[in-house]
Amino acid sequence: KPIAVTNMKENIMDLEKLKKNMKVVFAVMSTPMNNNLSINYNGFQKNIEYVLKGGLRTGRGGFLFMGSGGEVFALTLKERKKITETVVEAVGGKAPVFIGCNNTCVNDIIEQAKHAEKSGADGIFLSPPFYTNPSEEQTLAYYKKVAGAIGIGLFIYNNPWVGGSLDIPLDLLKSLCEIENTIALKDCTS
């Protein structure tokens, strides 16, 4: 059963448990595609089974779907939602599942994040707004808005190489870590 949190205030211990399970290796999964460029949903099942068979489990790892290497920027919101449902079901609670929710529209991000929560994902991972060169104050407000809309974990994704987004400075990172459901950081800086 996933560690997903449905009511953050009542289930803060679930987030604490999830935080402890974040000190592991995560499988960053690409999006399998068919020759006609449609999504190969059966391919997700096969790839997940392969990784689980290799030993990835809660306490020993987790999954990241729809990151910058998962073709997320080429996917529609409808496709993202179907992928979320597919991968949560395929993992079956055997390991934490995090859904990449990067987008240029914050309302679409929140819609996708709420869908991830409803589908049983353990959390989302999210870069600072990209292509907009936001200030630190704008970036903090952005993360707070998205995090406040969900009760599952927030995995901060610092990758300034994707779309020219902000490289999160240490002071801002400290503020982001004070957001109640922030549980991890993926840092892709040198």
Side-chain angles (χ1 to χ4, degrees), residues 120-167:
D122 297 288
I124 65 164
F125 65 102
L126 186 62
S127 295
F130 53 93
Y131 296 117
T132 59
N133 198 18
S135 69
E136 291 182 31
E137 294 79 19
Q138 291 168 325
T139 301
L140 180 59
Y142 161 83
Y143 274 105
K144 284 182 175 180
K145 181 175 178 115
V146 175
I150 57 173
I152 56 177
L154 174 63
F155 196 122
I156 296 168
Y157 184 27
N158 187 28
N159 190 349
W161 311 110
V162 176
S165 65
L166 175 74
D167 183 1

Side-chain angles (χ1 to χ4, degrees), residues 25-30 62-70 125 157 186:
V25 173
F26 273 76
V28 180
M29 306 296 283
S30 62
F63 289 97
L64 300 177
F65 294 96
M66 292 187 282
S68 53
F125 65 102
Y157 184 27
K186 178 181 178 186

Side-chain angles (χ1 to χ4, degrees), residues 48-60:
I48 290 166
E49 286 174 8
Y50 178 82
V51 173
L52 289 172
K53 193 174 189 178
L56 188 125
R57 296 279 186 277
T58 295
R60 292 195 290 170

